[in-house]
Amino acid sequence: MTTVIKAPGEAAAERSGGPGRTKERDGRRSEGVVLNVFSHGFLVLWAIMIVLPLIWLALGAFKTDAQIGGSALSWPSNWHFDAFGRAWTKGIGGYFANTLIVLVFSVPLTMLFGSMAAYVLARYPFTGNRLVYYFFVSGAMFPVFLALVPLFFMVKRFDMLNTYQGLILVYVAYSMPFTVFFMHSFFRTLPTAIYEAAVIDGASDTRIFFQVMLPMAKPGLISVGIFNILGQWNQYILPAVLMQPQTSADPERYMLTQGLIQLQYQMGYETDLPVLFAGATIAIIPMLAVYLSFQRQIQAGLTSATLK
Amino acid sequence: MSHVAQGRGKGGFITAFLFAPLALYLTFVIWPYVQTFGYSFTNWTGQSPTFDFVGLENYSTLLKDDDFRGALGHNLLLLVFVPVVTILLALFFAFMVNAGGRSGAGGVQGVSGSRIYKIVYFFPQVLSLAILAVLFGAIYRSDEGGLLNGFLIKLGLIDPKHPVEWLNEPNFVLWCLLLVVVWHGVGFYLVLFSAAMQSVPKDIYEAALLDGAGRAQTFFKVTLPLLWDSVQTSAVYLGIAAMDMFVLVSTMTSGQFGGGPDHHSEVMSTVLMRNFLYFGKSGYACAMGVVMLVLTMILSVITLRATRRERIEF
């Protein structure tokens, strides 16, 4: 792929780079034009490769089952939304609700616990401070698979398999490394003078945290918050192991990702593929909305977290 | 509140604030990690409460397990190709986006609309792997209804009566999965490399241009060395992703927890899950987890060492 950089115009420019300065200028300009066409060509091609499959998937929701199986490039014959309705009642609605229920608790709890730990570790020197910090942060390095088997039995022992509260606690625990790591660096940058002023005003440490520090850390909280929402919304392995009905009387509490895969299996037998395409589209839409509203913070947050 | 009381209250405050987060983290993350090592030396089934200590038996069985060895081979293959392909494409696009534009009075420029490209390319990153599995499951359909087959038929490259069974073809299945990972990851690393490129002072590029360096030269002699840190980090992240692969393999390929056809797409995580949830060999599965951890650690260290360069300050 890198060979493409050596565009014809560029090679010419390299050769011409010598005697006359004007000649060199011309060479460089034509190099620019050729390269510009080249760059746009490749960039547009990849952009199409990203967008086209997604549009094609959404169009599938409007096709008939026979159309989907018959030809990939056929145009939908009707523009009714009934496949979306069927997908919703076939379970997507319930999975959507389950995911929302879990996230409504797990994300705020993650933010609260993560900030509390990060704040203490960032601003209070005590013996073992570094140890506890590395303890928290090291969790990000290990593969989840390593913990999966004992985790299952740990949750089982608490009688919390296939319960919302079980998954909430597990989500919070597994989001700790990143949240503590990110908020730690954020709290460190807050000025000490403000803390001292608050102490002189007679505020307790707890009060300073909730009423002074937390509001000041808002930009950081927003970045980590979005990141945690995305991470927990997209989580698949943890619910796949922990959220299986334990008896036949146990209700299905699948998360959206898990339910989508379930739908894929079901539709394979029932041959109602438009429902699967509609289900996937329903799952994509909130992500698209969150992403487009916060794309600047998401890109900045993920990049800074990785580069640090 | 007096200062003395404040000083005395500090320990209590620290304990109170650390207690809940630490307790949760220890219970659900650290303790299971530690337990895995212990269980890996037992013949625990997961069903019965009793089990025996079997020493290194699980590990020696693992060495002879053809499924696991095949899976390890696939993981290693992915470990080479996932980072290399993703990083090369991301670097290429990042350079195009940031320096592929017309060279005007201001030296090297990004292409117009570079922001739009970054927004579009990054989007797959926020999609869940489950969505990717459904999407690419449809793209790779083995009949004419698959997007890939549909295109190739339209172009006349394959016979409409015999479309390719992408995910059931032993020679193709792993590469099909690789494409999904690359499709998913390129945008993120493009944005990462762009951020790194933009933090390089503009005058370094301009100096290089004034000295008569072409764009290719600028890229290899100036941009790449300055980006090396990010490239290194990316290689480690992508390597870790290539060691996992569970969601895509288990949902897109045939077989219990994926791995088909006939173990041609098996990866370590799918063998682990099958042994744990399907065969009920919890102790054995734990041994696999430990092997995965050790390999991940070794690979991270190797990647960081092998790619170590003199750091360039700017």
Side-chain angles (χ1 to χ4, degrees), chain A residues 106-150:
Chain A
S106 64
V107 172
L109 260 183
T110 304
M111 304 305 293
L112 178 69
F113 284 176
S115 314
M116 276 163 55
Y119 175 68
V120 169
L121 293 170
R123 303 199 67 107
Y124 291 81
F126 59 92
T127 22
N129 181 314
R130 291 313 279 169
L131 190 74
V132 176
Y133 174 72
Y134 283 121
F135 216 51
F136 269 120
V137 175
S138 65
M141 289 184 357
F142 304 126
V144 187
F145 284 95
L146 187 67
L148 227 41
V149 179

mmCIF file of all heavy atoms in Angstrom, chain A residues 106-150:
data_model
loop_
_atom_site.group_PDB
_atom_site.id
_atom_site.type_symbol
_atom_site.label_atom_id
_atom_site.label_comp_id
_atom_site.label_asym_id
_atom_site.label_seq_id
_atom_site.Cartn_x
_atom_site.Cartn_y
_atom_site.Cartn_z
ATOM 1 N N SER A 106 -25.164 1.231 36.183
ATOM 2 C CA SER A 106 -23.736 0.907 36.148
ATOM 3 C C SER A 106 -22.880 2.106 35.757
ATOM 4 O O SER A 106 -21.797 2.286 36.324
ATOM 5 C CB SER A 106 -23.480 -0.263 35.200
ATOM 6 O OG SER A 106 -23.798 0.082 33.878
ATOM 7 N N VAL A 107 -23.341 2.936 34.831
ATOM 8 C CA VAL A 107 -22.490 4.058 34.420
ATOM 9 C C VAL A 107 -22.323 5.087 35.549
ATOM 10 O O VAL A 107 -21.187 5.436 35.896
ATOM 11 C CB VAL A 107 -22.998 4.704 33.112
ATOM 12 C CG1 VAL A 107 -22.238 5.981 32.800
ATOM 13 C CG2 VAL A 107 -22.852 3.729 31.962
ATOM 14 N N PRO A 108 -23.405 5.581 36.161
ATOM 15 C CA PRO A 108 -23.196 6.519 37.279
ATOM 16 C C PRO A 108 -22.375 5.912 38.419
ATOM 17 O O PRO A 108 -21.514 6.592 38.982
ATOM 18 C CB PRO A 108 -24.609 6.841 37.758
ATOM 19 C CG PRO A 108 -25.479 6.552 36.599
ATOM 20 C CD PRO A 108 -24.831 5.415 35.868
ATOM 21 N N LEU A 109 -22.618 4.634 38.736
ATOM 22 C CA LEU A 109 -21.847 3.983 39.802
ATOM 23 C C LEU A 109 -20.364 3.896 39.433
ATOM 24 O O LEU A 109 -19.498 4.139 40.267
ATOM 25 C CB LEU A 109 -22.373 2.570 40.050
ATOM 26 C CG LEU A 109 -23.312 2.361 41.227
ATOM 27 C CD1 LEU A 109 -23.656 0.884 41.340
ATOM 28 C CD2 LEU A 109 -22.680 2.849 42.525
ATOM 29 N N THR A 110 -20.105 3.549 38.174
ATOM 30 C CA THR A 110 -18.719 3.501 37.702
ATOM 31 C C THR A 110 -18.052 4.858 37.888
ATOM 32 O O THR A 110 -16.934 4.959 38.397
ATOM 33 C CB THR A 110 -18.680 3.135 36.207
ATOM 34 O OG1 THR A 110 -19.364 1.912 36.011
ATOM 35 C CG2 THR A 110 -17.260 3.018 35.713
ATOM 36 N N MET A 111 -18.777 5.901 37.478
ATOM 37 C CA MET A 111 -18.213 7.250 37.543
ATOM 38 C C MET A 111 -17.970 7.645 38.992
ATOM 39 O O MET A 111 -16.941 8.224 39.334
ATOM 40 C CB MET A 111 -19.157 8.262 36.891
ATOM 41 C CG MET A 111 -19.512 7.940 35.468
ATOM 42 S SD MET A 111 -18.086 7.727 34.442
ATOM 43 C CE MET A 111 -17.490 9.388 34.474
ATOM 44 N N LEU A 112 -18.937 7.335 39.863
ATOM 45 C CA LEU A 112 -18.820 7.722 41.267
ATOM 46 C C LEU A 112 -17.655 6.988 41.926
ATOM 47 O O LEU A 112 -16.745 7.623 42.491
ATOM 48 C CB LEU A 112 -20.128 7.412 42.002
ATOM 49 C CG LEU A 112 -20.114 7.727 43.501
ATOM 50 C CD1 LEU A 112 -20.055 9.228 43.734
ATOM 51 C CD2 LEU A 112 -21.329 7.132 44.211
ATOM 52 N N PHE A 113 -17.670 5.671 41.848
ATOM 53 C CA PHE A 113 -16.616 4.882 42.495
ATOM 54 C C PHE A 113 -15.246 5.169 41.877
ATOM 55 O O PHE A 113 -14.251 5.302 42.588
ATOM 56 C CB PHE A 113 -16.927 3.377 42.405
ATOM 57 C CG PHE A 113 -17.990 2.932 43.371
ATOM 58 C CD1 PHE A 113 -18.456 1.630 43.364
ATOM 59 C CD2 PHE A 113 -18.529 3.821 44.290
ATOM 60 C CE1 PHE A 113 -19.438 1.206 44.258
ATOM 61 C CE2 PHE A 113 -19.511 3.416 45.179
ATOM 62 C CZ PHE A 113 -19.970 2.112 45.157
ATOM 63 N N GLY A 114 -15.232 5.238 40.563
ATOM 64 C CA GLY A 114 -13.962 5.502 39.876
ATOM 65 C C GLY A 114 -13.377 6.842 40.291
ATOM 66 O O GLY A 114 -12.178 6.954 40.581
ATOM 67 N N SER A 115 -14.225 7.877 40.348
ATOM 68 C CA SER A 115 -13.734 9.213 40.723
ATOM 69 C C SER A 115 -13.299 9.231 42.174
ATOM 70 O O SER A 115 -12.291 9.860 42.519
ATOM 71 C CB SER A 115 -14.813 10.276 40.541
ATOM 72 O OG SER A 115 -15.441 10.126 39.334
ATOM 73 N N MET A 116 -14.073 8.565 43.049
ATOM 74 C CA MET A 116 -13.715 8.557 44.476
ATOM 75 C C MET A 116 -12.332 7.963 44.670
ATOM 76 O O MET A 116 -11.457 8.564 45.318
ATOM 77 C CB MET A 116 -14.749 7.743 45.275
ATOM 78 C CG MET A 116 -15.989 8.539 45.654
ATOM 79 S SD MET A 116 -17.398 7.502 46.141
ATOM 80 C CE MET A 116 -16.705 6.525 47.435
ATOM 81 N N ALA A 117 -12.125 6.788 44.076
ATOM 82 C CA ALA A 117 -10.825 6.132 44.228
ATOM 83 C C ALA A 117 -9.720 6.972 43.600
ATOM 84 O O ALA A 117 -8.663 7.191 44.205
ATOM 85 C CB ALA A 117 -10.865 4.739 43.593
ATOM 86 N N ALA A 118 -9.985 7.468 42.393
ATOM 87 C CA ALA A 118 -8.957 8.243 41.689
ATOM 88 C C ALA A 118 -8.604 9.507 42.464
ATOM 89 O O ALA A 118 -7.436 9.887 42.569
ATOM 90 C CB ALA A 118 -9.447 8.609 40.290
ATOM 91 N N TYR A 119 -9.621 10.146 43.047
ATOM 92 C CA TYR A 119 -9.399 11.393 43.776
ATOM 93 C C TYR A 119 -8.506 11.164 44.985
ATOM 94 O O TYR A 119 -7.512 11.874 45.196
ATOM 95 C CB TYR A 119 -10.745 11.969 44.210
ATOM 96 C CG TYR A 119 -10.641 13.206 45.084
ATOM 97 C CD1 TYR A 119 -10.152 14.392 44.546
ATOM 98 C CD2 TYR A 119 -11.034 13.178 46.415
ATOM 99 C CE1 TYR A 119 -10.053 15.524 45.333
ATOM 100 C CE2 TYR A 119 -10.943 14.308 47.204
ATOM 101 C CZ TYR A 119 -10.448 15.480 46.668
ATOM 102 O OH TYR A 119 -10.338 16.590 47.441
ATOM 103 N N VAL A 120 -8.838 10.160 45.779
ATOM 104 C CA VAL A 120 -8.037 9.862 46.969
ATOM 105 C C VAL A 120 -6.609 9.511 46.571
ATOM 106 O O VAL A 120 -5.640 9.989 47.156
ATOM 107 C CB VAL A 120 -8.683 8.702 47.765
ATOM 108 C CG1 VAL A 120 -7.738 8.205 48.844
ATOM 109 C CG2 VAL A 120 -9.995 9.162 48.379
ATOM 110 N N LEU A 121 -6.495 8.695 45.511
ATOM 111 C CA LEU A 121 -5.157 8.254 45.089
ATOM 112 C C LEU A 121 -4.343 9.400 44.494
ATOM 113 O O LEU A 121 -3.126 9.434 44.592
ATOM 114 C CB LEU A 121 -5.273 7.105 44.086
ATOM 115 C CG LEU A 121 -5.833 5.810 44.670
ATOM 116 C CD1 LEU A 121 -6.133 4.813 43.560
ATOM 117 C CD2 LEU A 121 -4.863 5.209 45.688
ATOM 118 N N ALA A 122 -5.041 10.353 43.891
ATOM 119 C CA ALA A 122 -4.321 11.444 43.234
ATOM 120 C C ALA A 122 -3.895 12.524 44.223
ATOM 121 O O ALA A 122 -2.889 13.201 44.014
ATOM 122 C CB ALA A 122 -5.188 12.048 42.135
ATOM 123 N N ARG A 123 -4.653 12.729 45.305
ATOM 124 C CA ARG A 123 -4.420 13.918 46.114
ATOM 125 C C ARG A 123 -4.107 13.654 47.575
ATOM 126 O O ARG A 123 -3.829 14.597 48.315
ATOM 127 C CB ARG A 123 -5.629 14.848 45.999
ATOM 128 C CG ARG A 123 -5.925 15.223 44.562
ATOM 129 C CD ARG A 123 -6.771 16.438 44.472
ATOM 130 N NE ARG A 123 -6.070 17.618 44.929
ATOM 131 C CZ ARG A 123 -5.620 18.576 44.132
ATOM 132 N NH1 ARG A 123 -5.760 18.455 42.845
ATOM 133 N NH2 ARG A 123 -5.036 19.635 44.625
ATOM 134 N N TYR A 124 -4.156 12.417 48.021
ATOM 135 C CA TYR A 124 -3.845 12.146 49.426
ATOM 136 C C TYR A 124 -2.664 11.192 49.514
ATOM 137 O O TYR A 124 -2.800 10.024 49.155
ATOM 138 C CB TYR A 124 -5.053 11.541 50.154
ATOM 139 C CG TYR A 124 -6.179 12.524 50.319
ATOM 140 C CD1 TYR A 124 -7.055 12.773 49.270
ATOM 141 C CD2 TYR A 124 -6.350 13.208 51.521
ATOM 142 C CE1 TYR A 124 -8.084 13.682 49.407
ATOM 143 C CE2 TYR A 124 -7.385 14.117 51.663
ATOM 144 C CZ TYR A 124 -8.247 14.350 50.602
ATOM 145 O OH TYR A 124 -9.257 15.253 50.740
ATOM 146 N N PRO A 125 -1.504 11.682 49.952
ATOM 147 C CA PRO A 125 -0.379 10.769 50.104
ATOM 148 C C PRO A 125 -0.584 9.888 51.333
ATOM 149 O O PRO A 125 -0.911 10.392 52.416
ATOM 150 C CB PRO A 125 0.823 11.702 50.285
ATOM 151 C CG PRO A 125 0.259 13.007 50.701
ATOM 152 C CD PRO A 125 -1.187 13.051 50.354
ATOM 153 N N PHE A 126 -0.495 8.609 51.189
ATOM 154 C CA PHE A 126 -0.552 7.699 52.343
ATOM 155 C C PHE A 126 0.240 6.444 51.972
ATOM 156 O O PHE A 126 0.488 6.194 50.776
ATOM 157 C CB PHE A 126 -2.002 7.346 52.720
ATOM 158 C CG PHE A 126 -2.792 6.691 51.635
ATOM 159 C CD1 PHE A 126 -2.840 5.306 51.520
ATOM 160 C CD2 PHE A 126 -3.506 7.467 50.707
ATOM 161 C CE1 PHE A 126 -3.577 4.703 50.510
ATOM 162 C CE2 PHE A 126 -4.236 6.857 49.692
ATOM 163 C CZ PHE A 126 -4.271 5.481 49.594
ATOM 164 N N THR A 127 0.637 5.685 52.956
ATOM 165 C CA THR A 127 1.424 4.488 52.655
ATOM 166 C C THR A 127 0.580 3.522 51.836
ATOM 167 O O THR A 127 -0.587 3.289 52.140
ATOM 168 C CB THR A 127 1.868 3.760 53.948
ATOM 169 O OG1 THR A 127 0.986 4.161 54.992
ATOM 170 C CG2 THR A 127 3.306 4.045 54.288
ATOM 171 N N GLY A 128 1.178 2.992 50.797
ATOM 172 C CA GLY A 128 0.469 2.048 49.940
ATOM 173 C C GLY A 128 -0.302 2.725 48.823
ATOM 174 O O GLY A 128 -0.967 2.054 48.040
ATOM 175 N N ASN A 129 -0.206 4.037 48.735
ATOM 176 C CA ASN A 129 -0.935 4.767 47.701
ATOM 177 C C ASN A 129 -0.580 4.253 46.301
ATOM 178 O O ASN A 129 -1.456 3.867 45.528
ATOM 179 C CB ASN A 129 -0.615 6.261 47.820
ATOM 180 C CG ASN A 129 -1.351 7.106 46.806
ATOM 181 O OD1 ASN A 129 -1.390 6.756 45.633
ATOM 182 N ND2 ASN A 129 -1.938 8.205 47.254
ATOM 183 N N ARG A 130 0.719 4.216 45.996
ATOM 184 C CA ARG A 130 1.161 3.769 44.673
ATOM 185 C C ARG A 130 0.713 2.334 44.423
ATOM 186 O O ARG A 130 0.284 1.989 43.310
ATOM 187 C CB ARG A 130 2.697 3.831 44.552
ATOM 188 C CG ARG A 130 3.303 5.207 44.525
ATOM 189 C CD ARG A 130 2.627 6.159 43.611
ATOM 190 N NE ARG A 130 2.990 6.052 42.211
ATOM 191 C CZ ARG A 130 2.321 6.691 41.238
ATOM 192 N NH1 ARG A 130 1.271 7.442 41.510
ATOM 193 N NH2 ARG A 130 2.701 6.572 39.988
ATOM 194 N N LEU A 131 0.828 1.506 45.442
ATOM 195 C CA LEU A 131 0.475 0.098 45.320
ATOM 196 C C LEU A 131 -0.993 -0.051 44.903
ATOM 197 O O LEU A 131 -1.328 -0.768 43.956
ATOM 198 C CB LEU A 131 0.726 -0.603 46.654
ATOM 199 C CG LEU A 131 0.639 -2.115 46.618
ATOM 200 C CD1 LEU A 131 1.864 -2.708 45.944
ATOM 201 C CD2 LEU A 131 0.474 -2.676 48.025
ATOM 202 N N VAL A 132 -1.868 0.666 45.623
ATOM 203 C CA VAL A 132 -3.298 0.586 45.320
ATOM 204 C C VAL A 132 -3.563 1.102 43.911
ATOM 205 O O VAL A 132 -4.339 0.514 43.154
ATOM 206 C CB VAL A 132 -4.119 1.384 46.359
ATOM 207 C CG1 VAL A 132 -5.589 1.375 45.985
ATOM 208 C CG2 VAL A 132 -3.929 0.809 47.746
ATOM 209 N N TYR A 133 -2.869 2.190 43.547
ATOM 210 C CA TYR A 133 -3.053 2.755 42.210
ATOM 211 C C TYR A 133 -2.692 1.730 41.143
ATOM 212 O O TYR A 133 -3.462 1.480 40.213
ATOM 213 C CB TYR A 133 -2.214 4.028 42.059
ATOM 214 C CG TYR A 133 -2.231 4.586 40.660
ATOM 215 C CD1 TYR A 133 -3.377 5.211 40.154
ATOM 216 C CD2 TYR A 133 -1.126 4.472 39.827
ATOM 217 C CE1 TYR A 133 -3.400 5.704 38.863
ATOM 218 C CE2 TYR A 133 -1.141 4.965 38.535
ATOM 219 C CZ TYR A 133 -2.279 5.577 38.055
ATOM 220 O OH TYR A 133 -2.310 6.062 36.775
ATOM 221 N N TYR A 134 -1.504 1.126 41.263
ATOM 222 C CA TYR A 134 -1.086 0.141 40.264
ATOM 223 C C TYR A 134 -1.993 -1.080 40.267
ATOM 224 O O TYR A 134 -2.237 -1.699 39.237
ATOM 225 C CB TYR A 134 0.375 -0.256 40.473
ATOM 226 C CG TYR A 134 1.308 0.804 39.971
ATOM 227 C CD1 TYR A 134 2.224 1.430 40.810
ATOM 228 C CD2 TYR A 134 1.241 1.222 38.640
ATOM 229 C CE1 TYR A 134 3.056 2.430 40.343
ATOM 230 C CE2 TYR A 134 2.067 2.217 38.159
ATOM 231 C CZ TYR A 134 2.977 2.820 39.019
ATOM 232 O OH TYR A 134 3.777 3.810 38.537
ATOM 233 N N PHE A 135 -2.502 -1.394 41.440
ATOM 234 C CA PHE A 135 -3.461 -2.465 41.582
ATOM 235 C C PHE A 135 -4.682 -2.219 40.696
ATOM 236 O O PHE A 135 -5.129 -3.095 39.969
ATOM 237 C CB PHE A 135 -3.887 -2.490 43.039
ATOM 238 C CG PHE A 135 -4.120 -3.851 43.567
ATOM 239 C CD1 PHE A 135 -3.174 -4.843 43.406
ATOM 240 C CD2 PHE A 135 -5.290 -4.150 44.242
ATOM 241 C CE1 PHE A 135 -3.394 -6.107 43.894
ATOM 242 C CE2 PHE A 135 -5.503 -5.410 44.736
ATOM 243 C CZ PHE A 135 -4.562 -6.385 44.568
ATOM 244 N N PHE A 136 -5.183 -1.004 40.787
ATOM 245 C CA PHE A 136 -6.353 -0.642 39.983
ATOM 246 C C PHE A 136 -6.016 -0.649 38.500
ATOM 247 O O PHE A 136 -6.747 -1.183 37.685
ATOM 248 C CB PHE A 136 -6.854 0.756 40.369
ATOM 249 C CG PHE A 136 -7.900 0.736 41.449
ATOM 250 C CD1 PHE A 136 -7.690 1.388 42.650
ATOM 251 C CD2 PHE A 136 -9.105 0.094 41.251
ATOM 252 C CE1 PHE A 136 -8.661 1.383 43.645
ATOM 253 C CE2 PHE A 136 -10.077 0.084 42.227
ATOM 254 C CZ PHE A 136 -9.849 0.730 43.430
ATOM 255 N N VAL A 137 -4.904 -0.023 38.145
ATOM 256 C CA VAL A 137 -4.606 0.195 36.739
ATOM 257 C C VAL A 137 -4.184 -1.096 36.036
ATOM 258 O O VAL A 137 -4.486 -1.298 34.860
ATOM 259 C CB VAL A 137 -3.530 1.296 36.605
ATOM 260 C CG1 VAL A 137 -3.109 1.450 35.166
ATOM 261 C CG2 VAL A 137 -4.099 2.607 37.131
ATOM 262 N N SER A 138 -3.540 -2.004 36.788
ATOM 263 C CA SER A 138 -3.030 -3.220 36.147
ATOM 264 C C SER A 138 -4.156 -4.084 35.580
ATOM 265 O O SER A 138 -3.933 -4.858 34.653
ATOM 266 C CB SER A 138 -2.213 -4.032 37.145
ATOM 267 O OG SER A 138 -3.068 -4.470 38.174
ATOM 268 N N GLY A 139 -5.356 -3.937 36.122
ATOM 269 C CA GLY A 139 -6.482 -4.730 35.639
ATOM 270 C C GLY A 139 -6.734 -4.571 34.155
ATOM 271 O O GLY A 139 -7.268 -5.465 33.510
ATOM 272 N N ALA A 140 -6.331 -3.429 33.585
ATOM 273 C CA ALA A 140 -6.571 -3.180 32.168
ATOM 274 C C ALA A 140 -5.684 -4.048 31.285
ATOM 275 O O ALA A 140 -5.957 -4.211 30.105
ATOM 276 C CB ALA A 140 -6.329 -1.704 31.860
ATOM 277 N N MET A 141 -4.612 -4.599 31.872
ATOM 278 C CA MET A 141 -3.654 -5.321 31.040
ATOM 279 C C MET A 141 -4.020 -6.775 30.826
ATOM 280 O O MET A 141 -3.581 -7.396 29.871
ATOM 281 C CB MET A 141 -2.263 -5.253 31.666
ATOM 282 C CG MET A 141 -1.675 -3.875 31.574
ATOM 283 S SD MET A 141 -0.005 -3.728 32.193
ATOM 284 C CE MET A 141 0.372 -5.322 32.816
ATOM 285 N N PHE A 142 -4.816 -7.338 31.739
ATOM 286 C CA PHE A 142 -5.096 -8.766 31.636
ATOM 287 C C PHE A 142 -6.307 -9.033 30.763
ATOM 288 O O PHE A 142 -7.277 -8.285 30.788
ATOM 289 C CB PHE A 142 -5.348 -9.357 33.025
ATOM 290 C CG PHE A 142 -4.225 -9.127 33.975
ATOM 291 C CD1 PHE A 142 -4.443 -8.537 35.204
ATOM 292 C CD2 PHE A 142 -2.930 -9.471 33.612
ATOM 293 C CE1 PHE A 142 -3.395 -8.311 36.075
ATOM 294 C CE2 PHE A 142 -1.881 -9.256 34.474
ATOM 295 C CZ PHE A 142 -2.111 -8.664 35.711
ATOM 296 N N PRO A 143 -6.261 -10.133 29.998
ATOM 297 C CA PRO A 143 -7.436 -10.478 29.203
ATOM 298 C C PRO A 143 -8.585 -10.934 30.111
ATOM 299 O O PRO A 143 -8.347 -11.612 31.117
ATOM 300 C CB PRO A 143 -6.948 -11.627 28.320
ATOM 301 C CG PRO A 143 -5.714 -12.137 28.957
ATOM 302 C CD PRO A 143 -5.137 -11.038 29.769
ATOM 303 N N VAL A 144 -9.815 -10.542 29.778
ATOM 304 C CA VAL A 144 -10.987 -10.910 30.571
ATOM 305 C C VAL A 144 -11.100 -12.424 30.680
ATOM 306 O O VAL A 144 -11.584 -12.955 31.674
ATOM 307 C CB VAL A 144 -12.276 -10.365 29.928
ATOM 308 C CG1 VAL A 144 -13.475 -10.585 30.833
ATOM 309 C CG2 VAL A 144 -12.139 -8.912 29.585
ATOM 310 N N PHE A 145 -10.622 -13.115 29.646
ATOM 311 C CA PHE A 145 -10.751 -14.568 29.624
ATOM 312 C C PHE A 145 -10.096 -15.239 30.806
ATOM 313 O O PHE A 145 -10.526 -16.276 31.257
ATOM 314 C CB PHE A 145 -10.164 -15.126 28.332
ATOM 315 C CG PHE A 145 -11.079 -14.903 27.210
ATOM 316 C CD1 PHE A 145 -10.939 -13.807 26.401
ATOM 317 C CD2 PHE A 145 -12.149 -15.757 27.015
ATOM 318 C CE1 PHE A 145 -11.838 -13.567 25.392
ATOM 319 C CE2 PHE A 145 -13.044 -15.532 26.002
ATOM 320 C CZ PHE A 145 -12.890 -14.428 25.193
ATOM 321 N N LEU A 146 -9.043 -14.606 31.263
ATOM 322 C CA LEU A 146 -8.313 -15.173 32.385
ATOM 323 C C LEU A 146 -9.222 -15.312 33.595
ATOM 324 O O LEU A 146 -9.102 -16.249 34.373
ATOM 325 C CB LEU A 146 -7.127 -14.267 32.715
ATOM 326 C CG LEU A 146 -6.171 -14.807 33.751
ATOM 327 C CD1 LEU A 146 -5.453 -16.012 33.206
ATOM 328 C CD2 LEU A 146 -5.191 -13.743 34.167
ATOM 329 N N ALA A 147 -10.155 -14.374 33.778
ATOM 330 C CA ALA A 147 -10.964 -14.345 34.995
ATOM 331 C C ALA A 147 -12.308 -15.043 34.836
ATOM 332 O O ALA A 147 -13.007 -15.280 35.813
ATOM 333 C CB ALA A 147 -11.196 -12.903 35.408
ATOM 334 N N LEU A 148 -12.653 -15.349 33.593
ATOM 335 C CA LEU A 148 -14.038 -15.713 33.278
ATOM 336 C C LEU A 148 -14.589 -16.884 34.096
ATOM 337 O O LEU A 148 -15.684 -16.804 34.637
ATOM 338 C CB LEU A 148 -14.126 -16.043 31.791
ATOM 339 C CG LEU A 148 -15.277 -15.418 31.039
ATOM 340 C CD1 LEU A 148 -15.509 -13.978 31.452
ATOM 341 C CD2 LEU A 148 -15.018 -15.496 29.561
ATOM 342 N N VAL A 149 -13.826 -17.952 34.207
ATOM 343 C CA VAL A 149 -14.329 -19.150 34.886
ATOM 344 C C VAL A 149 -14.598 -18.873 36.378
ATOM 345 O O VAL A 149 -15.721 -19.058 36.849
ATOM 346 C CB VAL A 149 -13.368 -20.345 34.684
ATOM 347 C CG1 VAL A 149 -13.873 -21.568 35.409
ATOM 348 C CG2 VAL A 149 -13.186 -20.635 33.195
ATOM 349 N N PRO A 150 -13.597 -18.383 37.137
ATOM 350 C CA PRO A 150 -13.889 -18.088 38.544
ATOM 351 C C PRO A 150 -14.943 -16.995 38.725
ATOM 352 O O PRO A 150 -15.732 -17.065 39.667
ATOM 353 C CB PRO A 150 -12.545 -17.611 39.100
ATOM 354 C CG PRO A 150 -11.524 -18.147 38.167
ATOM 355 C CD PRO A 150 -12.173 -18.165 36.833
#
